[in-house]
Amino acid sequence: MNLLKGLEKEYYIEKYTIQSLFSFDISPFVQVFQFEKGNFIIQEGSAPEYLFYMVEGKAKLYVSHKNGKVSLINFLTPPIFMGEIELLNEEKYSKSIQTSSKCICLGIAIEKCKEKLLADAHFLKYLCIFLSNKSTAHSTKYTKHQAYPLENKLAEFILLSSHEDIYREKHTEISEYFGVSYRHLLHTFAQLSEAGMIEKIKMSYKILDREKLQALADEIK
Amino acid sequence: MNLLKGLEKEYYIEKYTIQSLFSFDISPFVQVFQFEKGNFIIQEGSAPEYLFYMVEGKAKLYVSHKNGKVSLINFLTPPIFMGEIELLNEEKYSKSIQTSSKCICLGIAIEKCKEKLLADAHFLKYLCIFLSNKSTAHSTKYTKHQAYPLENKLAEFILLSSHEDIYREKHTEISEYFGVSYRHLLHTFAQLSEAGMIEKIKMSYKILDREKLQALADEIK
DNA sequence: TCAAATATATGAGATATCTCCTATTATTAT
DNA sequence: ATAATAATAGGAGATATCTCATATATTTGA
């Protein structure tokens, strides 16, 4: 993890017009964090120090269970707040966030400006809209996931997460994301392969028939 | 639906200290609605007129599908905001809310005071906290529902929704709530009956063994 | 570099849940 | 009161998904 300074810092603050979220001068409280792939932005159980706003990169949200196992809950993409619930509720972090690529996050020191944030209608309005969209998105995802078999959801996911027709994600992680067993995920990959939509190449899958995959994905909603 | 006036109106406004949510005088904008059982508080597709805050009663949140079918999404209990997403995003209602008992709701005329609301840090902070709790609750529910079979979830639900050891809900509605087929819901009721935990009496079920039901429910999380 | 840990892979049988079908019983509207 | 509608009820067979077991390949850490 790197704290950017000087021109680099200014570059991101201006590019993403961070000031426009606030009605007071936020510059004394903003840090620009650069996280390398695999870094933890937030660790479960630790006390919140910053309200983060991710502007570049990709990250994953995890929760860990009593038995020590860890589940992938969601993929996070910018622009997104992280740690806003803890800002509002004075709790320790209940989830972890780990980057899956290099990430740029603006971090606002909570201790220094919690009062200012919670009294700034402009910021709060923005945060409300963010939370409300998050809630809507969550609802939609929940409905989808409840109503369709893995085959359809996986087709959609392969299309979304592949790069240049190559899908390369960890099965262990994806089975957790979908809340299905590892075994069943493999079954479903085998189905898609048999149907000629994808092909296994070494440790990854190549998309062979984008239309068929899309048709499967389109059965959802 | 009834608009309460005079002393009745004052009674509810004071009992639930509605003024404490705002930093400006809300009284000119508040109406107190009394809905009878079965009334719609919000109808999908209509334009939002009020931000509602339910303080007494019970209601159900529905969404309707392209094919005309309607699904129960959630049970709503006070204190709860309704229509807050539409206040924030200028959309028409995307869901319906129908009372399942007499309900008292405070209604704030959106047209008259949207600007004031969205500029009131005190109110916005409260709304943020509400939205953030909703999001957390939603997450928890989603995780549960994904991870456990209906038998456990139904046991929990029977305990929560029964009155004086009698469970009486419409199977059609509950199967939608859990996102399972009607047939499977009946199977599961039959299982619980065979195991001696409940007993069908006319159109309802009587709880026979609260501990066993509780044990099933406790397997969740 | 090698052992340990993690991830991939697949078979076999069990269970949860679905779809379709067909009656019967309540509820609602004319 | 009666016909129409909606809800309850359960059989039978199909499908989606799970658990457990076992083997191999890949990645990681000392």
Side-chain angles (χ1 to χ4, degrees), chain B residues 96-134:
Chain B
S96 299
I97 295 179
Q98 186 178 27
T99 65
S100 46
S101 69
K102 183 187 280 192
C103 284
I104 305 292
C105 298
L106 306 164
I108 295 156
I110 288 182
E111 201 190 346
K112 288 187 195 158
C113 76
K114 181 169 180 171
E115 279 73 35
K116 282 196 171 208
L117 289 174
L118 296 186
D120 181 357
H122 188 76
F123 165 72
L124 289 170
K125 178 178 157 189
Y126 191 85
L127 185 56
C128 274
I129 291 173
F130 170 80
L131 289 168
S132 130
N133 290 340
K134 180 170 154 180

Side-chain angles (χ1 to χ4, degrees), chain B residues 148-151 179-181 183-184 187 203:
Chain B
Y148 295 88
L150 182 60
E151 191 179 27
V180 301
S181 67
R183 187 65 190 86
H184 185 54
H187 266 139
M203 291 284 88

